[in-house]
Amino acid sequence: MIWTAPEVTRPEGALLAPEAELLRGLLDWHRSTLLHKCAGLTGEQLATAPVPGSNLSLLGLIRHLSKVERIWFRRSFLGEDVPILYYTPERPDADFDDLDPAQAETDYARLLEEQELARKATAGVPLDTTFANTKLGTVSLRLVFNHMIGEYARHNGHADMIRQGVDGVTGA
């Protein structure tokens, strides 16, 4: 049987809430929006890069955002010594370049796992909590949430165009 990305229900989220709840809710909405853009597609379709001259695909975005979630929440915020996903010094863009449609289900599950680990790591933690980042110095959890919202928002725009190029589906 051919795997297809499952349907996703995006969370409603509060429109009026304390900042921490708003940021967490907005990030979860953007996370689910990416998955919504992938719903119903096979591994082959997810791996398709429909824009000539671009290596962007939905599967590449899934892999890239798994990597980014891990870097910010597990490696940087928690200080875990876990490898960077889909990266080597020789292949820094392996998240986009080294796709295997047969592994799409595994890559999709890895993104869900990284998202859940990030939620657990930050549950109840104040946004003013700071930690050392090897490249930026001292940063706050607030910065991470804002960065991740921007990361997903930018890539969700890419996902809109990619999805339309793959099968013509448009929409929010």
Short mmCIF file of all heavy atoms in Angstrom, two decimals, residues 2-37:
data_model
loop_
_atom_site.label_atom_id
_atom_site.label_comp_id
_atom_site.label_asym_id
_atom_site.label_seq_id
_atom_site.Cartn_x
_atom_site.Cartn_y
_atom_site.Cartn_z
N ILE A 2 0.51 2.24 -0.76
CA ILE A 2 1.26 3.48 -0.86
C ILE A 2 0.83 4.41 0.27
O ILE A 2 -0.35 4.68 0.47
CB ILE A 2 1.03 4.16 -2.23
CG1 ILE A 2 1.56 3.26 -3.34
CG2 ILE A 2 1.69 5.52 -2.26
CD1 ILE A 2 1.28 3.78 -4.73
N TRP A 3 1.84 4.91 1.01
CA TRP A 3 1.58 5.84 2.11
C TRP A 3 1.22 7.21 1.55
O TRP A 3 1.83 7.67 0.57
CB TRP A 3 2.81 5.95 3.01
CG TRP A 3 2.63 6.94 4.12
CD1 TRP A 3 2.00 6.72 5.31
CD2 TRP A 3 3.08 8.30 4.16
NE1 TRP A 3 2.03 7.85 6.08
CE2 TRP A 3 2.68 8.84 5.39
CE3 TRP A 3 3.76 9.11 3.27
CZ2 TRP A 3 2.96 10.16 5.76
CZ3 TRP A 3 4.03 10.41 3.62
CH2 TRP A 3 3.63 10.92 4.86
N THR A 4 0.26 7.85 2.16
CA THR A 4 -0.05 9.25 1.85
C THR A 4 -0.09 10.03 3.16
O THR A 4 -0.47 9.50 4.21
CB THR A 4 -1.40 9.42 1.11
OG1 THR A 4 -2.45 8.91 1.93
CG2 THR A 4 -1.40 8.72 -0.22
N ALA A 5 0.31 11.27 3.09
CA ALA A 5 0.29 12.13 4.27
C ALA A 5 -1.15 12.28 4.76
O ALA A 5 -2.06 12.52 3.95
CB ALA A 5 0.89 13.49 3.93
N PRO A 6 -1.36 12.13 6.07
CA PRO A 6 -2.72 12.16 6.61
C PRO A 6 -3.34 13.56 6.61
O PRO A 6 -2.63 14.57 6.55
CB PRO A 6 -2.55 11.65 8.04
CG PRO A 6 -1.13 11.95 8.38
CD PRO A 6 -0.36 11.87 7.09
N GLU A 7 -4.67 13.58 6.68
CA GLU A 7 -5.39 14.84 6.87
C GLU A 7 -5.04 15.42 8.24
O GLU A 7 -4.77 14.67 9.18
CB GLU A 7 -6.89 14.63 6.75
CG GLU A 7 -7.36 14.23 5.35
CD GLU A 7 -7.09 15.29 4.30
OE1 GLU A 7 -7.25 16.50 4.60
OE2 GLU A 7 -6.73 14.92 3.18
N VAL A 8 -5.06 16.72 8.35
CA VAL A 8 -4.69 17.40 9.58
C VAL A 8 -5.76 18.42 9.93
O VAL A 8 -6.25 19.14 9.06
CB VAL A 8 -3.33 18.13 9.40
CG1 VAL A 8 -2.97 18.94 10.62
CG2 VAL A 8 -2.23 17.14 9.07
N THR A 9 -6.11 18.48 11.20
CA THR A 9 -7.00 19.52 11.70
C THR A 9 -6.14 20.56 12.40
O THR A 9 -5.40 20.23 13.34
CB THR A 9 -8.04 18.95 12.69
OG1 THR A 9 -8.78 17.93 12.02
CG2 THR A 9 -8.97 20.04 13.18
N ARG A 10 -6.21 21.78 11.93
CA ARG A 10 -5.41 22.84 12.55
C ARG A 10 -6.09 23.34 13.81
O ARG A 10 -7.31 23.48 13.85
CB ARG A 10 -5.18 23.99 11.57
CG ARG A 10 -4.22 23.59 10.46
CD ARG A 10 -3.94 24.70 9.53
NE ARG A 10 -5.06 24.83 8.60
CZ ARG A 10 -5.09 25.66 7.59
NH1 ARG A 10 -4.09 26.47 7.38
NH2 ARG A 10 -6.13 25.71 6.79
N PRO A 11 -5.30 23.62 14.86
CA PRO A 11 -5.88 24.11 16.11
C PRO A 11 -6.45 25.52 15.92
O PRO A 11 -5.94 26.30 15.11
CB PRO A 11 -4.69 24.12 17.07
CG PRO A 11 -3.48 24.23 16.19
CD PRO A 11 -3.85 23.53 14.90
N GLU A 12 -7.48 25.81 16.68
CA GLU A 12 -8.10 27.13 16.63
C GLU A 12 -7.19 28.19 17.23
O GLU A 12 -6.95 29.21 16.64
CB GLU A 12 -9.45 27.10 17.36
CG GLU A 12 -10.50 26.25 16.67
CD GLU A 12 -11.00 26.86 15.38
OE1 GLU A 12 -11.09 28.10 15.30
OE2 GLU A 12 -11.28 26.10 14.45
N GLY A 13 -6.73 27.96 18.44
CA GLY A 13 -5.87 28.94 19.11
C GLY A 13 -6.65 30.12 19.63
O GLY A 13 -7.68 30.50 19.08
N ALA A 14 -6.16 30.68 20.71
CA ALA A 14 -6.81 31.83 21.34
C ALA A 14 -6.45 33.11 20.60
O ALA A 14 -5.32 33.28 20.14
CB ALA A 14 -6.38 31.92 22.80
N LEU A 15 -7.41 34.00 20.48
CA LEU A 15 -7.15 35.31 19.87
C LEU A 15 -6.76 36.34 20.92
O LEU A 15 -6.09 37.32 20.62
CB LEU A 15 -8.38 35.79 19.10
CG LEU A 15 -8.78 34.89 17.92
CD1 LEU A 15 -10.05 35.44 17.26
CD2 LEU A 15 -7.66 34.77 16.91
N LEU A 16 -7.22 36.13 22.13
CA LEU A 16 -6.87 36.99 23.27
C LEU A 16 -6.38 36.09 24.39
O LEU A 16 -7.15 35.31 24.95
CB LEU A 16 -8.09 37.79 23.74
CG LEU A 16 -8.65 38.79 22.74
CD1 LEU A 16 -9.96 39.36 23.25
CD2 LEU A 16 -7.65 39.91 22.49
N ALA A 17 -5.10 36.18 24.68
CA ALA A 17 -4.52 35.33 25.71
C ALA A 17 -3.18 35.93 26.12
O ALA A 17 -2.64 36.80 25.42
CB ALA A 17 -4.31 33.91 25.18
N PRO A 18 -2.62 35.48 27.22
CA PRO A 18 -1.27 35.91 27.57
C PRO A 18 -0.29 35.55 26.46
O PRO A 18 -0.50 34.60 25.71
CB PRO A 18 -0.97 35.13 28.86
CG PRO A 18 -2.31 34.78 29.42
CD PRO A 18 -3.21 34.60 28.23
N GLU A 19 0.79 36.31 26.38
CA GLU A 19 1.76 36.16 25.29
C GLU A 19 2.24 34.72 25.11
O GLU A 19 2.32 34.23 23.98
CB GLU A 19 2.97 37.08 25.55
CG GLU A 19 4.02 36.99 24.47
CD GLU A 19 5.27 37.77 24.81
OE1 GLU A 19 5.52 38.04 26.01
OE2 GLU A 19 6.00 38.11 23.87
N ALA A 20 2.58 34.04 26.19
CA ALA A 20 3.11 32.68 26.06
C ALA A 20 2.09 31.76 25.38
O ALA A 20 2.45 30.97 24.51
CB ALA A 20 3.49 32.13 27.44
N GLU A 21 0.83 31.87 25.76
CA GLU A 21 -0.21 31.04 25.14
C GLU A 21 -0.39 31.40 23.67
O GLU A 21 -0.55 30.52 22.82
CB GLU A 21 -1.52 31.21 25.90
CG GLU A 21 -2.64 30.33 25.39
CD GLU A 21 -3.95 30.54 26.14
OE1 GLU A 21 -3.93 31.05 27.26
OE2 GLU A 21 -4.99 30.19 25.56
N LEU A 22 -0.35 32.70 23.37
CA LEU A 22 -0.49 33.14 21.98
C LEU A 22 0.65 32.61 21.11
O LEU A 22 0.42 32.09 20.01
CB LEU A 22 -0.54 34.66 21.89
CG LEU A 22 -1.84 35.32 22.29
CD1 LEU A 22 -1.68 36.84 22.33
CD2 LEU A 22 -2.96 34.94 21.34
N LEU A 23 1.88 32.75 21.57
CA LEU A 23 3.03 32.30 20.78
C LEU A 23 3.02 30.79 20.59
O LEU A 23 3.25 30.30 19.48
CB LEU A 23 4.33 32.75 21.42
CG LEU A 23 4.61 34.25 21.39
CD1 LEU A 23 5.92 34.57 22.10
CD2 LEU A 23 4.62 34.79 19.97
N ARG A 24 2.73 30.06 21.65
CA ARG A 24 2.67 28.60 21.53
C ARG A 24 1.56 28.18 20.56
O ARG A 24 1.74 27.30 19.72
CB ARG A 24 2.49 27.96 22.90
CG ARG A 24 3.74 27.96 23.74
CD ARG A 24 3.47 27.45 25.17
NE ARG A 24 4.71 27.20 25.89
CZ ARG A 24 5.39 28.14 26.55
NH1 ARG A 24 4.96 29.38 26.59
NH2 ARG A 24 6.51 27.82 27.18
N GLY A 25 0.41 28.83 20.68
CA GLY A 25 -0.71 28.52 19.79
C GLY A 25 -0.43 28.87 18.34
O GLY A 25 -0.77 28.11 17.44
N LEU A 26 0.19 30.01 18.12
CA LEU A 26 0.51 30.42 16.76
C LEU A 26 1.55 29.48 16.13
O LEU A 26 1.42 29.11 14.96
CB LEU A 26 1.01 31.87 16.74
CG LEU A 26 1.21 32.50 15.37
CD1 LEU A 26 -0.04 32.43 14.51
CD2 LEU A 26 1.67 33.95 15.53
N LEU A 27 2.55 29.08 16.91
CA LEU A 27 3.53 28.13 16.39
C LEU A 27 2.85 26.81 16.05
O LEU A 27 3.10 26.24 14.97
CB LEU A 27 4.67 27.93 17.37
CG LEU A 27 5.75 26.93 16.93
CD1 LEU A 27 6.33 27.28 15.56
CD2 LEU A 27 6.85 26.87 18.00
N ASP A 28 1.98 26.33 16.91
CA ASP A 28 1.28 25.07 16.60
C ASP A 28 0.39 25.21 15.37
O ASP A 28 0.27 24.27 14.58
CB ASP A 28 0.46 24.60 17.81
CG ASP A 28 1.31 23.83 18.80
OD1 ASP A 28 2.38 23.33 18.43
OD2 ASP A 28 0.89 23.72 19.97
N TRP A 29 -0.22 26.38 15.18
CA TRP A 29 -1.04 26.59 13.98
C TRP A 29 -0.16 26.52 12.73
O TRP A 29 -0.51 25.88 11.74
CB TRP A 29 -1.77 27.93 14.05
CG TRP A 29 -2.73 28.10 12.92
CD1 TRP A 29 -4.01 27.68 12.86
CD2 TRP A 29 -2.46 28.75 11.67
NE1 TRP A 29 -4.57 28.01 11.64
CE2 TRP A 29 -3.63 28.67 10.90
CE3 TRP A 29 -1.35 29.39 11.14
CZ2 TRP A 29 -3.73 29.20 9.62
CZ3 TRP A 29 -1.44 29.92 9.86
CH2 TRP A 29 -2.63 29.82 9.12
N HIS A 30 1.00 27.16 12.77
CA HIS A 30 1.90 27.11 11.62
C HIS A 30 2.45 25.70 11.39
O HIS A 30 2.60 25.28 10.24
CB HIS A 30 3.04 28.12 11.78
CG HIS A 30 2.66 29.50 11.39
ND1 HIS A 30 2.40 29.87 10.09
CD2 HIS A 30 2.48 30.63 12.14
CE1 HIS A 30 2.08 31.15 10.04
NE2 HIS A 30 2.13 31.63 11.28
N ARG A 31 2.76 25.00 12.47
CA ARG A 31 3.22 23.62 12.32
C ARG A 31 2.17 22.78 11.60
O ARG A 31 2.48 22.04 10.67
CB ARG A 31 3.51 23.01 13.70
CG ARG A 31 4.77 23.49 14.36
CD ARG A 31 4.83 23.05 15.81
NE ARG A 31 6.14 23.25 16.41
CZ ARG A 31 6.33 23.36 17.71
NH1 ARG A 31 5.30 23.28 18.56
NH2 ARG A 31 7.55 23.54 18.18
N SER A 32 0.94 22.90 12.04
CA SER A 32 -0.13 22.10 11.43
C SER A 32 -0.46 22.58 10.03
O SER A 32 -0.90 21.79 9.19
CB SER A 32 -1.37 22.08 12.33
OG SER A 32 -1.92 23.35 12.46
N THR A 33 -0.24 23.85 9.74
CA THR A 33 -0.48 24.36 8.39
C THR A 33 0.46 23.68 7.39
O THR A 33 0.03 23.30 6.30
CB THR A 33 -0.33 25.89 8.34
OG1 THR A 33 -1.37 26.47 9.14
CG2 THR A 33 -0.44 26.43 6.93
N LEU A 34 1.72 23.51 7.76
CA LEU A 34 2.64 22.80 6.85
C LEU A 34 2.13 21.39 6.60
O LEU A 34 2.08 20.94 5.45
CB LEU A 34 4.05 22.75 7.43
CG LEU A 34 5.01 21.95 6.54
CD1 LEU A 34 5.34 22.71 5.27
CD2 LEU A 34 6.26 21.57 7.29
N LEU A 35 1.71 20.71 7.65
CA LEU A 35 1.21 19.34 7.49
C LEU A 35 -0.07 19.32 6.66
O LEU A 35 -0.29 18.40 5.86
CB LEU A 35 0.99 18.71 8.86
CG LEU A 35 2.23 18.63 9.75
CD1 LEU A 35 1.87 18.08 11.12
CD2 LEU A 35 3.34 17.83 9.09
N HIS A 36 -0.90 20.34 6.84
CA HIS A 36 -2.14 20.47 6.05
C HIS A 36 -1.81 20.58 4.55
O HIS A 36 -2.50 20.00 3.71
CB HIS A 36 -2.91 21.70 6.54
CG HIS A 36 -4.10 22.05 5.72
ND1 HIS A 36 -5.27 21.32 5.74
CD2 HIS A 36 -4.31 23.07 4.86
CE1 HIS A 36 -6.14 21.88 4.93
NE2 HIS A 36 -5.58 22.94 4.38
N LYS A 37 -0.74 21.30 4.22
CA LYS A 37 -0.33 21.46 2.83
C LYS A 37 0.15 20.14 2.22
O LYS A 37 0.14 19.98 1.01
CB LYS A 37 0.79 22.50 2.70
CG LYS A 37 0.43 23.88 3.14
CD LYS A 37 -0.63 24.47 2.26
CE LYS A 37 -1.01 25.86 2.73
NZ LYS A 37 -2.16 26.36 2.00
#
